[in-house]
Amino acid sequence: MEIKPIETKDVISKSNLPVCDYSANPYVGCPHACKYCYASFMKRFTHHPEPWGSFLDVKHWPEIKNPQKYAGKEIFIGSVTDPYHPYEEQYGRTRALLEQLVGSGAKISIATKSDLVLRDLELIKSFPDARVSWSINTLDENFQSDMDEAVSIERRLAAMKAFHSAGIRTTCFISPIFPGITDVKEIIVQVKGQCNLIWLENLNLRGSYKSVIMEYIQQKYPKLLPLYREIYNQNDHRYWKLLDAELQAYAAEIGLDYVTNDDSMTRTIDVPPVIVNFFYHEQIKKSARKEGERHARAAGD
């Protein structure tokens, strides 16, 4: 892993994402090395010659002045990196960010694939309406280890349960859904008692990682290759429309609300989770890409 410190003017920036007001990424790059990571495009702006997942820039920024200006605003931590990857234990940049924001009144949302976030549970709990989400797109540990170098699914589920039991809002981000591989219903059954939101996001293939995933499917799941070609080469959306209808019916069957592109946090924390379908969130996908480009450029300043 190629690791270097970098100086940045600020770690928090205005966000285009419809789910937050600001975003913060304490690192550039991510050692989880997810084969499907959309943020890998950032290499075009950071000019790293190393493969995605093999470099990490550790951000250092001036002390946040007047953190109270973020009172009532939503700050998304981890839009283009996992803020709790293994090196956070050594460098502590995510914890430093949280400590600088304590008492500001900011609402924080954290996205991770890690259980290192447990270290900061009490700190996170001190923020109003804090929310932590874990990406879980399979219960098959073998498939998980094929796709990323993050901690096991078992450890992610245990972390989610601990946060939920502590009264902190939790989200299970079923993303990305691999057609014919991700058993969405099985995951919903597993997590519905320990989260407040269940997000559904389809697998999008573009750029350099499209060929990586298609080659993987050909080698490991050859029977699914025609389906993947239909979806990703012929741009046929029928699979997602059918899955949408199937999951909507399933949600009704088990008594859970099912909505589309609605990330509302107005529900009380003690009610069953709502399933949120983000299959067609083009605005979020485009905004996320712009978000990554902006953070990459800022890190290079």
Side-chain angles (χ1 to χ4, degrees):
M1 178 66 63
E2 185 71 25
I3 301 176
K4 68 175 183 180
I6 60 171
E7 300 292 330
T8 60
K9 295 178 181 178
D10 203 344
V11 68
I12 299 176
S13 62
K14 196 72 176 164
S15 178
N16 289 325
L17 293 170
V19 295
C20 62
D21 302 296
Y22 295 88
S23 63
N25 290 280
Y27 302 89
V28 177
C30 183
H32 289 336
C34 302
K35 287 183 170 63
Y36 48 79
C37 184
Y38 75 89
S40 59
F41 73 88
M42 289 177 62
K43 281 186 58 179
R44 297 205 313 266
F45 304 96
T46 61
H47 308 297
H48 283 85
E50 305 91 349
W52 179 256
S54 67
F55 67 86
L56 186 72
D57 293 346
V58 182
K59 290 185 180 180
H60 294 270
W61 56 88
E63 188 82 14
I64 297 173
K65 296 180 180 178
N66 187 26
Q68 283 71 28
K69 70 181 180 181
Y70 299 113
K73 303 296 183 181
E74 295 193 21
I75 302 176
F76 180 26
I77 303 175
S79 61
V80 288
T81 187
D82 191 321
Y84 284 99
H85 55 69
Y87 293 96
E88 163 63 16
E89 190 166 13
Q90 176 181 353
Y91 294 103
R93 302 312 295 152
T94 299
R95 184 173 180 86
L97 170 61
L98 292 174
E99 289 174 339
Q100 291 176 33
L101 288 172
V102 165
S104 66
K107 299 179 180 181
I108 60 168
S109 180
I110 297 170
T112 185
K113 283 186 170 78
S114 177
D115 57 354
L116 178 57
V117 66
L118 286 167
R119 179 199 66 186
D120 295 340
L121 188 152
E122 291 301 323
L123 183 56
I124 293 168
K125 190 176 181 179
S126 71
F127 287 83
D129 295 323
R131 176 170 54 173
V132 183
S133 67
W134 285 265
S135 295
I136 297 172
N137 70 351
T138 183
L139 297 180
D140 181 344
E141 300 287 3
N142 291 324
F143 179 68
Q144 176 268 311
S145 63
D146 279 350
M147 287 295 112
D148 64 62
E149 298 177 19
V151 303
S152 68
I153 299 300
E154 181 181 9
R155 287 171 61 179
R156 297 180 209 181
L157 290 171
M160 182 191 300
K161 185 175 183 179
F163 269 78
H164 190 260
S165 297
I168 300 170
R169 291 182 183 273
T170 56
T171 296
C172 179
F173 196 12
I174 305 181
S175 171
I177 296 171
F178 276 72
I181 298 175
T182 301
D183 190 333
V184 179
K185 294 179 183 178
E186 183 182 30
I187 297 173
I188 291 173
V189 169
Q190 181 75 32
V191 305
K192 63 185 178 71
Q194 60 187 64
C195 64
N196 305 97
L197 282 175
I198 299 173
W199 285 0
L200 309 177
E201 183 183 36
N202 53 323
L203 173 67
N204 289 287
L205 295 183
R206 59 172 66 86
S208 60
Y209 61 88
K210 178 177 180 178
S211 60
V212 172
I213 296 300
M214 293 298 279
E215 183 177 346
Y216 173 82
I217 296 299
Q218 184 171 16
Q219 292 178 353
K220 294 290 188 77
Y221 297 89
K223 292 183 179 179
L224 291 177
L225 189 59
L227 173 62
Y228 277 70
R229 286 174 173 167
E230 181 180 275
I231 296 172
Y232 298 108
N233 292 343
Q234 300 172 26
N235 199 31
D236 190 327
H237 293 164
R238 282 179 298 175
Y239 178 86
W240 301 116
K241 291 177 180 178
L242 290 171
L243 183 60
D244 182 12
E246 179 183 343
L247 293 176
Q248 189 166 3
Y250 179 68
E253 179 183 323
I254 62 175
L256 296 183
D257 291 339
Y258 185 95
V259 299
T260 300
N261 293 356
D262 181 2
D263 189 34
S264 173
M265 294 204 335
T266 58
R267 297 163 63 94
T268 59
I269 197 169
D270 56 346
V271 299
V274 58
I275 300 174
V276 185
N277 181 326
F278 276 120
F279 286 175
Y280 310 109
H281 60 309
E282 292 302 321
Q283 181 184 2
I284 293 180
K285 285 185 283 186
K286 291 177 182 177
S287 296
R289 195 170 187 84
K290 291 179 180 178
E291 191 87 0
E293 291 174 2
R294 184 169 57 254
H295 278 283
R297 290 193 180 101
D301 288 343

